[in-house]
Amino acid sequence: MTLINILHMNGGSEDSSYANNSLFTKIVMQKVAPLVKRTIKGMANQDKFFDRCFMIADLGCSSGMNTLLLASDIIKTVHEVCQENNQKTPQFQVCLNDLFGNDFNNLFKLLPNFYKTLRKDNGEKIGSCFVSAFPGSFYERLFPDKSLHLIHSSYSVHWLSQVPEGLENNKQNIYIAKTSPLDVLQAYGKQFQTDFTKFLQLRSEELVHDGRMVIAFQSRSSLDPTNDECSTLWELLTMSLLEMLKEGLVQESDINSFNLPVYFPHGDELRRIIEEDGSFSLEDIDIFEIDWDQHDIECNNRGKKTTKSIRAVTEPLFSSHFGNSIIDMLFKKFEKKLADHLATKKTKHLCVVISLIKNE
Protein backbone atom coordinates (compact mmCIF):
# COMPACT_ATOMS: atom_id res chain seq x y z
CA MET A 1 0.00 0.00 0.00
CA THR A 2 1.40 3.41 -0.96
CA LEU A 3 2.28 5.96 1.72
CA ILE A 4 -0.29 8.48 0.51
CA ASN A 5 -3.07 6.04 1.47
CA ILE A 6 -1.86 5.17 4.98
CA LEU A 7 -0.20 8.36 6.27
CA HIS A 8 -2.84 10.05 8.39
CA MET A 9 -3.62 10.71 12.03
CA ASN A 10 -6.07 8.53 13.95
CA GLY A 11 -9.56 9.72 13.05
CA GLY A 12 -12.80 9.85 15.02
CA SER A 13 -13.24 11.03 18.59
CA GLU A 14 -12.19 7.93 20.52
CA ASP A 15 -9.56 7.81 23.26
CA SER A 16 -6.71 7.18 20.79
CA SER A 17 -7.90 9.70 18.17
CA TYR A 18 -5.80 12.67 17.11
CA ALA A 19 -8.71 14.97 17.95
CA ASN A 20 -8.34 13.95 21.62
CA ASN A 21 -4.54 13.85 21.64
CA SER A 22 -3.39 16.99 19.86
CA LEU A 23 -2.62 19.21 22.86
CA PHE A 24 1.09 19.27 22.00
CA THR A 25 0.34 20.63 18.52
CA LYS A 26 -1.95 23.22 20.10
CA ILE A 27 0.92 24.34 22.35
CA VAL A 28 3.14 24.68 19.27
CA MET A 29 0.51 26.69 17.41
CA GLN A 30 0.10 29.05 20.36
CA LYS A 31 3.84 29.73 20.26
CA VAL A 32 3.75 30.17 16.47
CA ALA A 33 0.87 32.67 16.67
CA PRO A 34 3.02 35.83 17.19
CA LEU A 35 4.94 35.17 13.98
CA VAL A 36 1.70 34.53 12.07
CA LYS A 37 0.40 37.89 13.30
CA ARG A 38 3.59 39.67 12.29
CA THR A 39 3.35 38.08 8.86
CA ILE A 40 -0.23 39.26 8.35
CA LYS A 41 0.55 42.77 9.57
CA GLY A 42 3.43 42.84 7.09
CA MET A 43 0.87 42.35 4.32
CA ALA A 44 -1.28 45.29 5.46
CA ASN A 45 0.41 47.90 3.25
CA GLN A 46 -0.74 46.11 0.12
CA ASP A 47 -4.45 46.64 -0.54
CA LYS A 48 -4.56 43.74 -3.00
CA PHE A 49 -4.43 41.24 -0.13
CA PHE A 50 -7.59 42.46 1.57
CA ASP A 51 -9.67 43.82 -1.32
CA ARG A 52 -12.16 40.97 -1.90
CA CYS A 53 -11.60 37.47 -0.54
CA PHE A 54 -8.59 36.54 1.58
CA MET A 55 -7.54 33.01 0.66
CA ILE A 56 -5.97 30.90 3.43
CA ALA A 57 -4.67 27.33 3.18
CA ASP A 58 -3.72 25.08 6.09
CA LEU A 59 -1.63 22.18 4.80
CA GLY A 60 -1.66 19.02 6.92
CA CYS A 61 -4.71 20.21 8.84
CA SER A 62 -5.53 16.80 10.36
CA SER A 63 -8.87 16.26 12.07
CA GLY A 64 -8.92 18.12 15.38
CA MET A 65 -9.98 21.59 16.46
CA ASN A 66 -6.49 23.07 16.09
CA THR A 67 -6.82 23.95 12.42
CA LEU A 68 -10.06 25.88 13.06
CA LEU A 69 -8.49 27.70 16.01
CA LEU A 70 -5.68 28.72 13.69
CA ALA A 71 -8.15 29.90 11.03
CA SER A 72 -10.02 31.90 13.68
CA ASP A 73 -6.80 33.60 14.83
CA ILE A 74 -5.84 34.51 11.25
CA ILE A 75 -9.30 35.92 10.50
CA LYS A 76 -9.27 37.92 13.73
CA THR A 77 -5.85 39.40 12.91
CA VAL A 78 -6.89 40.35 9.37
CA HIS A 79 -10.06 41.94 10.77
CA GLU A 80 -8.02 43.97 13.30
CA VAL A 81 -5.55 45.08 10.63
CA CYS A 82 -8.39 46.22 8.35
CA GLN A 83 -10.02 48.19 11.17
CA GLU A 84 -6.70 49.87 12.02
CA ASN A 85 -6.32 50.93 8.37
CA ASN A 86 -9.98 51.93 7.86
CA GLN A 87 -10.48 49.11 5.38
CA LYS A 88 -13.48 46.88 4.92
CA THR A 89 -12.78 43.36 6.19
CA PRO A 90 -12.72 40.96 3.22
CA GLN A 91 -14.49 37.67 2.87
CA PHE A 92 -12.44 34.60 3.79
CA GLN A 93 -11.90 31.25 2.10
CA VAL A 94 -10.25 28.67 4.38
CA CYS A 95 -8.81 25.70 2.46
CA LEU A 96 -8.15 22.68 4.65
CA ASN A 97 -5.72 20.17 3.18
CA ASP A 98 -4.56 16.74 4.25
CA LEU A 99 -4.12 13.33 2.68
CA PHE A 100 -7.08 11.26 1.49
CA GLY A 101 -7.30 9.15 4.66
CA ASN A 102 -7.78 12.19 6.89
CA ASP A 103 -11.02 12.37 8.89
CA PHE A 104 -12.47 15.48 7.26
CA ASN A 105 -15.95 14.51 8.47
CA ASN A 106 -14.84 15.13 12.05
CA LEU A 107 -13.74 18.62 11.02
CA PHE A 108 -17.03 19.35 9.28
CA LYS A 109 -18.93 18.51 12.47
CA LEU A 110 -17.02 21.32 14.22
CA LEU A 111 -17.93 23.98 11.65
CA PRO A 112 -21.34 25.14 13.03
CA ASN A 113 -19.76 26.10 16.34
CA PHE A 114 -16.76 27.60 14.51
CA TYR A 115 -18.99 29.92 12.47
CA LYS A 116 -21.04 30.88 15.52
CA THR A 117 -17.97 31.68 17.62
CA LEU A 118 -16.41 33.66 14.77
CA ARG A 119 -19.39 36.01 14.67
CA LYS A 120 -19.65 36.23 18.45
CA ASP A 121 -15.98 37.15 18.91
CA ASN A 122 -15.57 39.52 15.96
CA GLY A 123 -19.00 41.08 15.43
CA GLU A 124 -21.19 41.33 12.37
CA LYS A 125 -18.73 43.52 10.43
CA ILE A 126 -16.42 40.59 9.86
CA GLY A 127 -16.49 39.23 6.32
CA SER A 128 -18.21 35.98 5.43
CA CYS A 129 -16.10 32.86 5.88
CA PHE A 130 -16.21 29.75 3.71
CA VAL A 131 -14.43 26.54 4.70
CA SER A 132 -13.63 23.81 2.18
CA ALA A 133 -11.59 20.60 2.15
CA PHE A 134 -8.85 19.99 -0.43
CA PRO A 135 -7.63 16.39 -0.01
CA GLY A 136 -4.35 15.42 -1.59
CA SER A 137 -0.59 15.40 -1.12
CA PHE A 138 1.13 18.76 -0.71
CA TYR A 139 3.94 17.28 -2.79
CA GLU A 140 1.57 17.74 -5.72
CA ARG A 141 -0.44 20.74 -6.96
CA LEU A 142 -3.49 21.46 -4.80
CA PHE A 143 -4.81 24.90 -5.82
CA PRO A 144 -5.17 27.03 -8.98
CA ASP A 145 -2.40 29.37 -10.09
CA LYS A 146 -1.96 32.50 -7.97
CA SER A 147 -5.07 31.83 -5.90
CA LEU A 148 -3.77 31.92 -2.31
CA HIS A 149 -2.67 34.82 -0.10
CA LEU A 150 -1.43 32.95 2.99
CA ILE A 151 -0.34 29.34 3.48
CA HIS A 152 0.21 27.82 6.90
CA SER A 153 1.52 24.40 7.87
CA SER A 154 2.34 23.20 11.36
CA TYR A 155 4.30 20.00 12.00
CA SER A 156 3.43 18.51 8.63
CA VAL A 157 6.18 19.29 6.14
CA HIS A 158 8.69 17.15 8.02
CA TRP A 159 6.64 14.17 6.77
CA LEU A 160 8.31 12.90 3.60
CA SER A 161 6.63 11.95 0.33
CA GLN A 162 8.10 8.45 0.64
CA VAL A 163 10.41 6.33 2.74
CA PRO A 164 13.92 7.18 1.46
CA GLU A 165 15.57 4.63 -0.80
CA GLY A 166 18.68 2.77 0.29
CA LEU A 167 17.80 2.00 3.91
CA GLU A 168 18.53 -1.72 3.72
CA ASN A 169 21.45 -1.32 6.15
CA ASN A 170 19.32 0.32 8.82
CA LYS A 171 18.84 -3.01 10.58
CA GLN A 172 16.78 -3.10 13.80
CA ASN A 173 16.04 0.62 13.56
CA ILE A 174 12.84 2.34 12.47
CA TYR A 175 14.37 5.80 11.97
CA ILE A 176 17.74 7.52 12.09
CA ALA A 177 19.48 6.15 15.18
CA LYS A 178 22.92 6.31 16.74
CA THR A 179 23.63 2.88 15.25
CA SER A 180 22.48 3.86 11.74
CA PRO A 181 25.16 3.82 9.01
CA LEU A 182 26.14 7.16 7.45
CA ASP A 183 24.39 6.34 4.17
CA VAL A 184 21.08 6.10 6.05
CA LEU A 185 21.51 9.63 7.43
CA GLN A 186 22.42 10.86 3.96
CA ALA A 187 19.42 9.14 2.37
CA TYR A 188 17.01 10.86 4.77
CA GLY A 189 18.64 14.26 4.25
CA LYS A 190 18.54 13.85 0.46
CA GLN A 191 14.87 12.85 0.48
CA PHE A 192 13.95 15.88 2.61
CA GLN A 193 15.85 18.22 0.30
CA THR A 194 14.06 16.78 -2.75
CA ASP A 195 10.65 16.98 -1.09
CA PHE A 196 11.01 20.44 0.45
CA THR A 197 12.35 21.89 -2.79
CA LYS A 198 9.35 20.51 -4.66
CA PHE A 199 7.03 21.79 -1.92
CA LEU A 200 8.42 25.31 -2.29
CA GLN A 201 8.13 25.27 -6.07
CA LEU A 202 4.52 24.04 -6.02
CA ARG A 203 3.41 26.58 -3.42
CA SER A 204 5.11 29.35 -5.38
CA GLU A 205 2.79 28.59 -8.29
CA GLU A 206 -0.29 28.71 -6.05
CA LEU A 207 0.46 31.95 -4.16
CA VAL A 208 -0.19 35.44 -5.47
CA HIS A 209 2.80 37.74 -5.93
CA ASP A 210 4.24 38.65 -2.51
CA GLY A 211 2.05 35.98 -0.92
CA ARG A 212 3.23 34.59 2.41
CA MET A 213 3.84 31.15 3.85
CA VAL A 214 4.36 30.24 7.53
CA ILE A 215 5.70 26.75 8.29
CA ALA A 216 6.50 25.21 11.67
CA PHE A 217 8.88 22.25 11.83
CA GLN A 218 10.06 19.96 14.54
CA SER A 219 13.76 20.66 14.31
CA ARG A 220 17.04 20.07 16.08
CA SER A 221 19.79 22.24 17.57
CA SER A 222 22.59 19.90 16.51
CA LEU A 223 23.79 19.24 12.97
CA ASP A 224 23.84 15.57 13.99
CA PRO A 225 20.40 14.06 13.17
CA THR A 226 20.98 11.25 15.69
CA ASN A 227 21.01 13.59 18.69
CA ASP A 228 18.48 13.02 21.46
CA GLU A 229 16.11 15.79 20.33
CA CYS A 230 15.23 13.79 17.23
CA SER A 231 16.00 10.15 17.90
CA THR A 232 15.09 9.26 21.49
CA LEU A 233 11.34 8.80 21.03
CA TRP A 234 11.86 6.58 18.00
CA GLU A 235 14.64 4.60 19.68
CA LEU A 236 12.27 3.89 22.59
CA LEU A 237 9.69 2.64 20.09
CA THR A 238 12.39 0.52 18.45
CA MET A 239 13.35 -0.94 21.82
CA SER A 240 9.68 -1.81 22.39
CA LEU A 241 9.53 -3.63 19.05
CA LEU A 242 12.77 -5.50 19.75
CA GLU A 243 11.39 -6.59 23.10
CA MET A 244 8.32 -7.92 21.29
CA LEU A 245 10.65 -9.70 18.83
CA LYS A 246 12.23 -11.60 21.73
CA GLU A 247 8.74 -12.53 22.90
CA GLY A 248 7.86 -13.84 19.44
CA LEU A 249 5.19 -11.20 18.85
CA VAL A 250 6.77 -9.63 15.74
CA GLN A 251 9.10 -10.81 12.99
CA GLU A 252 12.64 -9.48 12.61
CA SER A 253 12.10 -9.09 8.87
CA ASP A 254 9.14 -6.81 9.57
CA ILE A 255 11.25 -4.58 11.82
CA ASN A 256 14.10 -4.43 9.31
CA SER A 257 11.76 -3.47 6.48
CA PHE A 258 10.03 -0.66 8.39
CA ASN A 259 11.35 2.92 8.42
CA LEU A 260 9.44 6.05 9.33
CA PRO A 261 8.94 8.59 6.49
CA VAL A 262 9.82 11.64 8.55
CA TYR A 263 12.81 13.98 8.88
CA PHE A 264 13.53 16.80 11.32
CA PRO A 265 15.70 19.41 9.59
CA HIS A 266 18.27 21.71 11.15
CA GLY A 267 17.63 25.42 10.64
CA ASP A 268 20.72 25.70 8.44
CA GLU A 269 19.32 23.01 6.13
CA LEU A 270 16.10 24.99 5.74
CA ARG A 271 17.96 28.21 4.95
CA ARG A 272 20.16 26.49 2.38
CA ILE A 273 17.29 24.78 0.56
CA ILE A 274 15.24 28.01 0.49
CA GLU A 275 18.19 29.98 -0.90
CA GLU A 276 19.12 27.34 -3.48
CA ASP A 277 15.55 27.04 -4.77
CA GLY A 278 14.92 30.78 -4.98
CA SER A 279 11.10 30.65 -5.08
CA PHE A 280 10.85 32.38 -1.70
CA SER A 281 12.78 34.73 0.55
CA LEU A 282 13.07 34.11 4.27
CA GLU A 283 11.25 37.02 5.92
CA ASP A 284 11.16 35.99 9.58
CA ILE A 285 12.15 33.09 11.82
CA ASP A 286 11.41 32.02 15.41
CA ILE A 287 13.05 29.19 17.34
CA PHE A 288 11.73 27.91 20.65
CA GLU A 289 11.87 24.88 22.91
CA ILE A 290 9.06 22.87 24.48
CA ASP A 291 9.36 20.21 27.16
CA TRP A 292 8.38 16.82 25.77
CA ASP A 293 6.22 16.07 28.76
CA GLN A 294 4.77 19.56 29.32
CA HIS A 295 1.19 18.26 29.06
CA ASP A 296 2.13 15.13 31.04
CA ILE A 297 3.33 17.25 33.94
CA GLU A 298 0.00 19.09 33.94
CA CYS A 299 -1.87 15.82 34.49
CA ASN A 300 0.79 14.41 36.87
CA ASN A 301 1.28 11.30 34.74
CA ARG A 302 4.65 11.21 33.02
CA GLY A 303 4.63 9.71 29.59
CA LYS A 304 0.94 8.85 29.34
CA LYS A 305 -0.26 11.78 27.24
CA THR A 306 2.92 11.83 25.17
CA THR A 307 2.38 8.15 24.39
CA LYS A 308 -1.20 8.84 23.34
CA SER A 309 -0.02 11.68 21.11
CA ILE A 310 2.61 9.51 19.42
CA ARG A 311 0.09 6.71 18.97
CA ALA A 312 -2.47 9.08 17.43
CA VAL A 313 0.13 10.20 14.89
CA THR A 314 1.82 6.88 14.03
CA GLU A 315 -0.70 4.08 14.63
CA PRO A 316 -1.90 3.88 10.99
CA LEU A 317 1.72 3.42 9.85
CA PHE A 318 2.49 0.70 12.39
CA SER A 319 -0.80 -1.16 11.95
CA SER A 320 -0.53 -1.22 8.15
CA HIS A 321 2.92 -2.81 8.40
CA PHE A 322 2.79 -4.98 11.53
CA GLY A 323 -0.96 -5.54 11.83
CA ASN A 324 -3.50 -4.28 14.35
CA SER A 325 -2.88 -7.05 16.87
CA ILE A 326 0.43 -5.64 18.17
CA ILE A 327 -0.61 -2.01 18.65
CA ASP A 328 -1.89 -2.06 22.24
CA MET A 329 1.13 -4.02 23.48
CA LEU A 330 3.58 -1.88 21.51
CA PHE A 331 2.41 1.38 23.04
CA LYS A 332 2.04 -0.14 26.50
CA LYS A 333 5.73 -1.04 26.40
CA PHE A 334 6.58 2.34 24.90
CA GLU A 335 4.75 4.20 27.67
CA LYS A 336 6.73 2.33 30.33
CA LYS A 337 10.05 3.05 28.64
CA LEU A 338 9.13 6.68 28.07
CA ALA A 339 8.09 7.18 31.70
CA ASP A 340 11.40 5.68 32.87
CA HIS A 341 13.29 7.96 30.49
CA LEU A 342 11.45 11.12 31.56
CA ALA A 343 11.98 10.27 35.23
CA THR A 344 15.72 10.72 34.81
CA LYS A 345 16.13 13.13 31.89
CA LYS A 346 14.69 16.52 31.03
CA THR A 347 14.34 16.42 27.28
CA LYS A 348 13.56 19.45 25.13
CA HIS A 349 11.81 19.57 21.81
CA LEU A 350 13.03 22.23 19.35
CA CYS A 351 10.66 23.99 16.97
CA VAL A 352 11.63 26.25 14.07
CA VAL A 353 8.95 28.38 12.44
CA ILE A 354 9.70 30.35 9.26
CA SER A 355 7.83 33.07 7.41
CA LEU A 356 8.46 33.16 3.67
CA ILE A 357 7.52 35.70 1.01
CA LYS A 358 7.06 34.67 -2.60
CA ASN A 359 9.63 36.06 -5.01
CA GLU A 360 8.92 37.27 -8.56
Side-chain angles (χ1 to χ4, degrees):
M1 189 178 293
T2 59
L3 186 61
I4 196 171
N5 293 320
I6 58 175
L7 180 56
H8 59 83
M9 311 297 104
N10 276 347
S13 56
E14 292 77 22
D15 186 56
S16 62
S17 68
Y18 179 80
N20 284 330
N21 295 285
S22 55
L23 175 59
F24 187 86
T25 309
K26 183 179 180 180
I27 293 170
V28 171
M29 292 173 67
Q30 288 171 341
K31 290 182 174 290
V32 168
L35 188 141
V36 174
K37 290 184 178 180
R38 294 199 303 268
T39 297
I40 293 171
K41 290 184 176 181
M43 304 168 75
N45 59 352
Q46 300 187 50
D47 292 340
K48 64 181 181 180
F49 288 125
F50 305 138
D51 57 354
R52 290 186 181 178
C53 184
F54 191 71
M55 301 286 290
I56 307 159
D58 188 21
L59 307 185
C61 64
S62 195
S63 58
M65 189 63 191
N66 288 342
T67 186
L68 296 179
L69 292 174
L70 168 81
S72 180
D73 286 345
I74 291 174
I75 291 168
K76 180 181 178 181
T77 302
V78 172
H79 182 52
E80 290 173 350
V81 167
C82 288
Q83 288 184 315
E84 290 170 2
N85 291 276
N86 296 315
Q87 293 175 276
K88 181 181 178 181
T89 303
Q91 296 180 327
F92 298 92
Q93 173 77 52
V94 179
C95 307
L96 304 180
N97 159 259
D98 213 309
L99 291 174
F100 300 104
N102 186 57
D103 189 358
F104 287 104
N105 284 335
N106 193 62
L107 275 176
F108 297 154
K109 292 174 184 177
L110 300 174
L111 286 178
N113 188 60
F114 167 74
Y115 289 132
K116 181 180 179 181
T117 303
L118 201 61
R119 289 287 177 187
K120 179 181 178 182
D121 292 347
N122 297 281
E124 292 300 320
K125 290 186 177 181
I126 195 167
S128 299
C129 178
F130 308 93
V131 178
S132 304
F134 290 76
S137 170
F138 49 54
Y139 294 120
E140 298 174 359
R141 280 293 300 269
L142 294 166
F143 309 102
D145 290 349
K146 299 178 181 179
S147 59
L148 300 175
H149 298 103
L150 176 66
I151 294 173
H152 168 270
S153 185
S154 184
Y155 275 42
S156 296
V157 183
H158 52 232
W159 288 103
L160 303 173
S161 66
Q162 64 179 51
V163 175
E165 297 179 353
L167 302 185
E168 294 80 10
N169 293 330
N170 202 30
K171 303 294 186 182
Q172 297 196 346
N173 292 310
I174 63 171
Y175 181 58
I176 298 171
K178 294 177 176 61
T179 59
S180 297
L182 179 60
D183 60 350
V184 170
L185 280 60
Q186 293 171 337
Y188 268 99
K190 180 181 178 181
Q191 185 65 51
F192 177 79
Q193 177 168 346
T194 298
D195 285 345
F196 189 44
T197 299
K198 185 175 184 180
F199 177 89
L200 293 171
Q201 293 169 351
L202 294 172
R203 302 295 82 79
S204 177
E205 294 175 12
E206 296 165 349
L207 279 165
V208 300
H209 177 60
D210 286 340
R212 303 316 204 265
M213 185 157 60
V214 177
I215 315 173
F217 297 86
Q218 181 177 339
S219 185
R220 62 182 195 269
S221 58
S222 171
L223 291 172
D224 178 9
T226 68
N227 75 327
D228 288 346
E229 287 171 313
C230 298
S231 64
T232 300
L233 277 176
W234 312 118
E235 289 187 5
L236 293 174
L237 265 170
T238 301
M239 291 166 60
S240 302
L241 281 169
L242 293 176
E243 192 172 292
M244 294 177 73
L245 172 62
K246 292 179 180 178
E247 296 168 355
L249 300 176
V250 296
Q251 300 295 317
E252 185 174 11
S253 59
D254 286 340
I255 297 175
N256 289 338
S257 59
F258 180 81
N259 288 280
L260 288 164
V262 68
Y263 182 77
F264 308 116
H266 187 273
D268 290 350
E269 286 180 277
L270 294 174
R271 292 177 187 271
R272 175 178 55 79
I273 295 171
I274 293 165
E275 290 174 1
E276 289 179 355
D277 173 64
S279 300
F280 291 86
S281 295
L282 182 61
E283 185 178 40
D284 203 349
I285 185 168
D286 275 352
I287 301 173
F288 53 85
E289 290 182 331
I290 305 174
D291 290 338
W292 268 10
D293 59 341
Q294 182 169 330
H295 50 348
D296 280 316
I297 292 171
E298 292 172 3
C299 70
N300 195 30
N301 196 342
R302 285 190 180 275
K304 189 174 185 64
K305 281 192 172 290
T306 300
T307 297
K308 285 187 174 183
S309 296
I310 296 297
R311 178 170 179 169
V313 170
T314 62
E315 181 172 349
L317 288 171
F318 281 104
S319 61
S320 68
H321 187 84
F322 293 96
N324 293 326
S325 61
I326 76 155
I327 298 300
D328 288 342
M329 180 60 71
L330 172 63
F331 285 101
K332 182 178 180 180
K333 290 179 178 293
F334 174 71
E335 181 181 336
K336 174 65 167 58
K337 295 182 187 303
L338 179 59
D340 291 344
H341 174 83
L342 293 175
T344 58
K345 293 185 179 180
K346 191 73 171 177
T347 308
K348 298 286 186 178
H349 174 108
L350 191 72
C351 176
V352 171
V353 53
I354 56 176
S355 178
L356 305 175
I357 181 170
K358 178 184 172 182
N359 291 330
E360 289 282 0

